Amino acid sequence: MEKPSSATEQDPESSQHHLTVPSGLTQSEFDDLKPVVAEFHTYRVGPGHCSSLLAQRIHAPLETVWKVVRRFDKPQTYKHFIRSCTVKEGFVMSVGCTREVNVISGLPAATSTERLDLLDEERHVTGFSIIGGEHRLRNYRSVTTVHGFERDGRIWTVVLESYVVDVPEGNSEEDTRLFADTVVRLNLQKLASVTEAMARDGDANSQV
């Protein structure tokens, strides 16, 4: 039987994302988000795995950002490296559904089969895992949470995205994290530009 860790002992196999403020966030923002990080962005990370947590501040309402993030069937709206995404006829967006993604040339990947693992419309949480395809991201799992802030008359949104993935044979943990972080960061930056433009232009006129 596995021995439980004491209250003062950190589980060495758990990610420690709640201990470090992600780049781009203030300490105050992160303090508000720590319970969410502990609940949704914590992974068991053993040898041969790596994990990371990234954040993006977006000057747009939560509802506008969530409208884009929740669309499991349209990741290409803000994900840079996706050429196309197809779903089965009669697709219903619910946990367990899948999508087939074609990746642009130039990356160490061609296709990816992905499954929706989590979709909480009330708490604005979604997550997916890669379950097949031609790529190097084995056992990749990701969770994205969307959070609205309002202070001093200002409204903005913070998006947190975390992942855990196997380190490919012949690669270091640092190299794997650098590659995955770069992809996620570019996607989050595009999400910000897309949703901020939607907010400026009037969300009602935007097609997602």
Side-chain angles (χ1 to χ4, degrees), residues 72-142:
F72 180 74
D73 56 332
K74 288 191 176 182
Q76 66 272 33
T77 302
Y78 73 96
K79 294 195 175 185
H80 270 280
F81 304 105
I82 295 179
R83 180 191 300 135
S84 64
C85 173
T86 57
V87 295
K88 294 179 180 178
E89 187 175 350
F91 171 82
V92 175
M93 193 163 60
S94 59
V95 170
C97 67
T98 60
R99 64 189 179 196
E100 298 291 334
V101 170
N102 288 304
V103 181
I104 64 172
S105 59
L107 286 179
T111 62
S112 179
T113 303
E114 301 172 357
R115 179 184 62 217
L116 182 64
D117 297 327
L118 180 62
L119 182 64
D120 189 327
E121 300 277 11
E122 291 187 2
R123 300 187 67 188
H124 308 107
V125 182
T126 187
F128 75 94
S129 55
I130 296 179
I131 59 173
E134 300 175 33
H135 55 82
R136 300 193 69 189
L137 296 176
R138 299 301 173 193
N139 294 316
Y140 183 93
R141 290 187 293 117
S142 173

Side-chain angles (χ1 to χ4, degrees), residues 160-173:
L160 298 177
E161 182 167 348
S162 63
Y163 66 83
V164 64
V165 66
D166 291 358
V167 177
E169 187 175 349
N171 286 61
S172 69
E173 180 179 334

